[in-house]
Amino acid sequence: MISLVLILPIIFCLILFFFKNNTLNNILITLYALLHSSVGIAYFLKPELLGECNYFGLGSSNIVFYLVLSIVFLAVSVYNCGYSKNLAKEFPAKKMMLYSIMILIFVFSMTGGILSNNLGLAWIFIEGTTLASAYLIYFNKTKHSIEAAWKYVFICSIGIALAFVGIILLTIATGDINTLNYNDLMNNAKSFSHFWLNVSFVFILFGLGTKMGLAPVHFWLPDAHSEAPSPISALLSATLLNCAFLVILNVYKVMLCANCVIFARTMLLIMGFLSLFVTAVFLYHTTNYKRMLAYSSIENMGILAIATALGGIAYFALIIHLIGHSLIKASFFLTSGNVLELFETKRIKSIRSLGLIDKKTAWLWIASFLGICAFPPSMLFLSEFLIVKAFLIQKHFILCALFLFLLTVVLFGMARVVIKMVYGKKSEEKFELAKKNITKISKTMYIPQVAMLTLAFILGVYIPKFLDVIIKNTLIG
């Protein structure tokens, strides 16, 4: 089944290339999303169905990342059924075909990156995500989308190059052990050169930190996330960033096994807090609500980096936060697509009285805000509570205060935007336009957000036994 989940999207792309039909596009994307999810289910029901492969595998180290990708992709594929109908009215069948093909290749690349057992192979797939998603960011062909796509390709290509240098330095650190298999690296890590291992970690962290969206190498992210079509923004924020983080996490485990963890933790803490600081500062100056969500992604990637650095109980918080952020942020970006369909603008000051125009979208917007800002019973409340507890246990009182302060600043910045958009005084011109456009919003453009937010809030109160086992098996060390 692992081979099937990697081969099938290529077959589907060939079918779409010859049959340029929007209905077929949606059917094959949804079908692949269902197959993708079935592999995750098979892992629990009958692991032998997955088969064995030297270079790809599904196990305790990557199952959470795979399941998150499956759930978000399935939700996006359902949302895309309604969203693509609106796109099809503006763009020709050939362009819609390319849009669908690139979605399949994008998800295929992320899947390969998550399933890879080999650092070199994972690097290739991460590069593949850049090539596939660049077209999707550029899709609307506006001045800003072209600029965002070029910035994305340029910055991420530099990041990938830095990561490649880091991999070369890692091979120097390994000495006579000629392998990039994660398990082999961890098993032999104690014999590695600490100097070269530390240097390689710097290059890999900065290189893949570019794809993950960590400051100070985050510059592509606000532009790309804000200019891409909303289903693509959801995939970029909720799944692509996780793929890069998984590779960093696997290299971090090698550092842990080699007893170089103090250096690695220091680097992660610096970049994590810098990401929170950048979000807190720039969030107040953005006039685009999709850019606001993009900066929120930078913040949450910073939180994941901090949780990794703290260790202990923060490892549990890390997995909880990763799941919660992916579900809620995907919902937030998909809902932003509804807002864009209604008002035909991304400018915050042009969006007012959303609650009077489309109550369902307004409530999804509010619920996504409450979830991403860690209001209980959001999963992020649980994860951030545990991170604060880890700070206090380790007696990092100043860092804990700084962490809470930056989160509060971000919360206030997002709250004032959300409240104005939902309850602000309406503009008659925009109000009438939005009322006219409400027919563009189909049921499939509400259901995925409801499902993901419900799941995120339920898991914030009750974690089923099977999920608790998964999380504990995923923990580092």
Side-chain angles (χ1 to χ4, degrees):
M1 288 188 74
I2 287 179
S3 299
L4 186 63
V5 85
L6 292 171
I7 294 171
L8 201 61
I10 306 301
I11 297 172
F12 283 177
C13 286
L14 293 173
I15 295 172
L16 294 180
F17 181 78
F18 291 106
F19 300 94
K20 300 173 179 63
N21 182 279
N22 192 51
T23 302
L24 183 62
N25 294 343
N26 292 331
I27 289 172
L28 292 188
I29 288 174
T30 306
L31 186 61
Y32 181 51
L34 290 170
L35 173 70
H36 205 282
S37 302
S38 68
V39 172
I41 296 170
Y43 174 81
F44 299 103
L45 299 181
K46 210 168 184 181
E48 59 268 21
L49 287 175
L50 300 181
E52 294 185 6
C53 184
N54 292 331
Y55 297 103
F56 301 98
L58 198 58
S60 60
S61 62
N62 60 1
I63 182 62
V64 169
F65 292 82
Y66 183 87
L67 289 175
V68 166
L69 174 58
S70 292
I71 293 169
V72 172
F73 178 41
L74 183 58
V76 167
S77 68
V78 173
Y79 181 90
N80 191 63
C81 290
Y83 186 85
S84 63
K85 288 180 181 178
N86 297 329
L87 285 182
K89 295 175 184 177
E90 302 178 38
F91 301 107
K94 182 179 179 180
K95 188 165 185 178
M96 293 304 299
M97 175 268 294
L98 290 173
Y99 169 80
S100 301
I101 284 176
M102 286 303 174
I103 288 178
L104 289 172
I105 295 175
F106 184 35
V107 175
F108 158 77
S109 300
M110 290 190 288
T111 303
I114 288 173
L115 294 178
S116 298
N117 294 326
N118 184 286
L119 177 58
L121 193 60
W123 179 88
I124 293 172
F125 278 105
I126 294 296
E127 173 65 9
T129 63
T130 304
L131 300 176
S133 54
Y135 175 83
L136 297 169
I137 294 167
Y138 165 73
F139 181 79
N140 290 315
K141 289 189 177 180
T142 64
K143 176 184 176 182
H144 295 297
S145 65
I146 293 172
E147 180 184 345
W150 274 111
K151 185 182 289 186
Y152 172 64
V153 171
F154 179 73
I155 295 176
C156 288
S157 295
I158 292 174
I160 289 295
L162 290 174
F164 183 70
V165 173
I167 293 172
I168 293 173
L169 294 173
L170 179 60
T171 60
I172 295 173
T174 60
D176 296 329
I177 302 168
N178 298 314
T179 179
L180 289 174
N181 180 277
Y182 290 132
N183 288 331
D184 291 339
L185 289 174
M186 292 176 205
N187 292 335
N188 296 281
K190 290 183 179 179
S191 64
F192 294 172
S193 165
H194 286 198
F195 172 78
W196 289 112
L197 195 57
N198 286 336
V199 175
S200 73
F201 184 77
V202 172
F203 276 88
I204 291 172
L205 179 60
F206 272 85
L208 294 176
T210 305
K211 292 288 292 188
M212 185 181 167
L214 289 174
V217 286
H218 66 285
F219 301 106
W220 66 271
L221 194 148
D223 297 278
H225 287 210
S226 62
E227 293 303 324
S230 295
I232 309 308
S233 298
L235 287 173
L236 285 169
S237 183
T239 57
L240 175 62
L241 307 186
N242 293 346
C243 294
F245 176 57
L246 175 59
V247 181
I248 292 173
L249 200 59
N250 283 325
V251 177
Y252 175 80
K253 291 178 183 177
V254 176
M255 298 288 286
L256 190 65
C257 294
N259 295 321
C260 294
V261 72
I262 295 176
F263 177 80
R265 284 176 173 170
T266 303
M267 292 295 301
L268 286 167
L269 273 177
I270 291 171
M271 295 186 76
F273 273 102
L274 192 56
S275 299
L276 264 65
F277 176 76
V278 165
T279 302
V281 171
F282 283 92
L283 202 64
Y284 279 83
H285 299 284
T286 183
T287 57
N288 180 319
Y289 55 84
K290 287 191 74 177
R291 285 183 72 89
M292 175 188 75
L293 303 187
Y295 279 114
S296 172
S297 296
I298 295 170
E299 172 212 8
N300 282 280
M301 291 304 104
I303 292 173
L304 292 180
I306 290 169
T308 306
L310 287 174
I313 196 172
Y315 285 151
F316 189 86
L318 183 155
I319 306 301
I320 294 292
H321 198 90
L322 183 138
I323 297 170
H325 170 257
S326 297
L327 294 173
I328 298 167
K329 185 55 64 62
S331 172
F332 222 157
F333 267 115
L334 293 181
T335 305
S336 76
N338 291 6
V339 177
L340 183 57
E341 290 292 334
L342 291 170
F343 290 90
E344 298 180 4
T345 180
K346 299 171 190 171
R347 292 178 65 83
I348 292 169
K349 68 178 184 180
S350 299
I351 316 295
R352 295 292 184 269
S353 300
L354 180 60
L356 296 177
I357 297 163
D358 187 353
K359 289 185 178 180
K360 292 188 284 292
T361 295
W363 279 112
L364 287 171
W365 193 246
I366 293 170
S368 298
F369 158 71
L370 294 175
I372 210 67
C373 287
F375 283 86
S378 168
M379 290 183 77
L380 302 195
F381 172 78
L382 176 60
S383 62
E384 290 177 13
F385 177 84
L386 292 175
I387 291 171
V388 169
K389 183 177 179 180
F391 272 121
L392 297 177
I393 289 174
Q394 298 177 31
K395 298 182 180 180
H396 298 312
F397 301 120
I398 296 176
L399 290 179
C400 182
L402 180 60
F403 179 76
L404 291 172
F405 172 74
L406 292 173
L407 291 184
T408 304
V409 172
V410 171
L411 185 154
F412 180 78
M414 293 187 71
R416 66 173 189 164
V417 170
V418 170
I419 291 170
K420 286 180 180 179
M421 289 176 64
V422 175
Y423 300 109
K425 186 177 180 181
K426 66 182 180 182
S427 162
E428 288 298 332
E429 182 183 352
K430 286 293 182 182
F431 187 83
E432 292 303 321
L433 175 65
K435 276 291 185 182
K436 181 182 176 182
N437 287 336
I438 198 168
T439 55
K440 294 182 178 180
I441 314 298
S442 63
K443 290 182 180 179
T444 59
M445 296 171 74
Y446 297 117
I447 294 171
Q449 297 96 299
V450 172
M452 288 189 290
L453 287 172
T454 301
L455 182 59
F457 285 124
I458 289 174
L459 293 177
V461 177
Y462 170 71
I463 298 177
K465 187 176 180 180
F466 81 93
L467 182 58
D468 184 58
V469 172
I470 292 172
I471 292 171
K472 288 178 179 176
N473 288 340
T474 308
L475 298 184
I476 304 168

